[in-house]
Amino acid sequence: MQSTPKVFQLGYVSLGVSDVEESRDHYLRTMGATETDRSEDGTTYASIGLNHHDLVLSPAIKPGQAQIGLQLTPDIDLGDFASDVKAFGLRAEVKSDSQPGIGKMVEVVGPDDYVVQFYSDADLTAPGYSGAGIAPLRLGHVALMSPKADELVTFFREFLGFYKTDQIGDRATFLTCNHEHHVLNIVNSPETLVHHIAFQLHESADHVRAADTLRSDGKKTVWGPSRHTAGHNLAAYHLDPDKVIVELYTDMDIYLPAADCFEQRPWHEDTPQRPKVWGPQLSAWEVDFLFSLGSRTAAD
């Protein structure tokens, strides 16, 4: 029987960047996030609207590496959680005041040395929605590339209780801890990098405004908007300064764990639409997807 997930949402993504100022300009001015804190080394904490931070931009020797923050359900004790992680065979350390807005966390070094930070409580600084730039509604999900994808999936499913909602061949596995089609996308790849981070727009009409905003800032939409197969979200992609793919989406499938299916939509292929293995076609509209799921570069 599927266990109840130990976490209920993706809290933040921490990105290693080559030029903090350039990345700050993209995510604050073009995306419309609000800076809530900055460390001495230039590390920037940015909020979409409610949380102290949804995104962390840190100087890195190898840009594109990522850490993620996951918020635990309220009934979990951090000390007990750290002990359980160690019993599962992974490294875990309880940290206090290691970053602004989060008093205490458990930092776990997972398969392929991915760092996952778990916390129960965080400051709701609530700087408000800036209304500037693209101005997304929220941070939605993150896709992680790894040659140890199977081990990562095992950790998220067997230890944390994530639901597996879909799969694309043997390349990508979609996982969720709540009603969203996916909170994490684990991509089987020779590289260890973030494949993309995704932000939900307020409504589908915002895709037009987002594309216009990107154009006015001299940045191009590299794919979409189009409707995906797995998840059925309307998605469009652009690149940040380090060529990390940024997805803007609406209309994501809603997962119903008790029924192991998705809320029905008129564009679904199946009735009911249940988790399954999809073929390589990533667009339900037969629009060519110009990126490989195994890397962040354009496909041949």
Side-chain angles (χ1 to χ4, degrees):
M1 182 177 178
Q2 170 75 50
S3 60
T4 302
K6 292 182 172 70
V7 303
F8 70 91
Q9 70 172 357
L10 172 66
Y12 57 86
V13 175
S14 180
L15 278 179
V17 301
S18 58
D19 185 324
V20 176
E21 288 296 332
E22 190 177 17
S23 292
R24 184 186 292 125
D25 180 73
H26 178 76
Y27 286 102
L28 299 187
R29 186 173 63 84
T30 303
M31 290 294 296
T34 299
E35 182 176 336
T36 54
D37 219 316
R38 191 185 301 189
S39 302
E40 290 184 1
D41 67 352
T43 296
T44 296
Y45 298 83
S47 174
I48 299 301
L50 175 65
N51 300 317
H52 179 277
H53 56 274
D54 302 279
L55 189 66
V56 184
L57 305 172
S58 300
I61 296 174
K62 185 179 180 182
Q65 293 180 319
Q67 300 177 359
I68 61 174
L70 296 174
Q71 191 161 7
L72 294 163
T73 56
D75 59 328
I76 293 180
D77 177 82
L78 290 180
D80 292 342
F81 180 80
S83 297
D84 290 343
V85 172
K86 293 174 184 176
F88 190 75
L90 298 175
R91 288 176 285 164
E93 180 183 358
V94 179
K95 293 187 172 184
S96 297
D97 299 319
S98 61
Q99 65 177 252
I102 299 177
K104 192 174 181 181
M105 68 167 62
V106 176
E107 186 170 279
V108 175
V109 180
D112 206 12
D113 291 332
Y114 268 114
V115 174
V116 186
Q117 296 165 334
F118 297 90
Y119 61 95
S120 296
D121 300 307
D123 292 346
L124 297 179
T125 304
Y129 296 95
S130 70
I134 291 170
L137 180 66
R138 57 188 285 270
L139 172 68
H141 61 269
V142 60
L144 304 175
M145 300 159 57
S146 172
K148 297 184 178 180
D150 290 344
E151 294 179 38
L152 279 170
V153 170
T154 296
F155 171 61
F156 286 112
R157 293 198 69 199
E158 294 187 7
F159 179 74
L160 294 173
F162 274 64
Y163 304 104
K164 178 180 176 181
T165 52
D166 266 321
Q167 189 171 326
I168 296 178
D170 60 358
R171 179 63 73 184
T173 302
F174 298 86
L175 303 170
T176 191
C177 58
N178 52 41
H179 67 278
E180 291 281 316
H181 176 272
H182 59 285
V183 172
L184 296 174
N185 183 357
I186 308 299
V187 180
N188 187 3
S189 168
E191 301 179 274
T192 302
L193 292 170
V194 60
H195 185 276
H196 67 269
I197 56 176
F199 298 88
Q200 182 181 346
L201 300 177
H202 290 247
E203 57 184 354
S204 294
D206 281 355
H207 278 292
V208 176
R209 188 171 66 85
D212 284 341
T213 299
L214 289 168
R215 178 179 178 275
S216 68
D217 282 356
K219 295 159 187 173
K220 106 189 228 192
T221 299
V222 295
W223 186 82
S226 182
R227 189 179 299 284
H228 277 312
T229 49
H232 294 98
N233 42 310
L234 283 175
Y237 295 82
H238 69 272
L239 303 180
D240 82 355
D242 283 309
K243 299 193 183 306
V244 172
I245 302 169
V246 179
E247 176 185 353
L248 305 173
Y249 75 91
T250 55
D251 275 4
M252 182 76 76
D253 275 351
I254 301 299
Y255 180 60
L256 305 174
D260 192 30
C261 70
F262 304 99
E263 285 188 355
Q264 197 63 34
R265 298 290 184 266
W267 47 80
H268 281 171
E269 290 81 358
D270 305 318
T271 305
Q273 188 75 55
R274 297 189 184 279
K276 69 178 187 178
V277 178
W278 295 82
Q281 176 64 35
L282 299 181
S283 173
W285 296 347
E286 301 296 327
V287 175
D288 288 338
F289 187 79
L290 300 180
F291 289 90
S292 166
L293 269 179
S295 71
R296 294 195 324 225
T297 57
D300 295 331

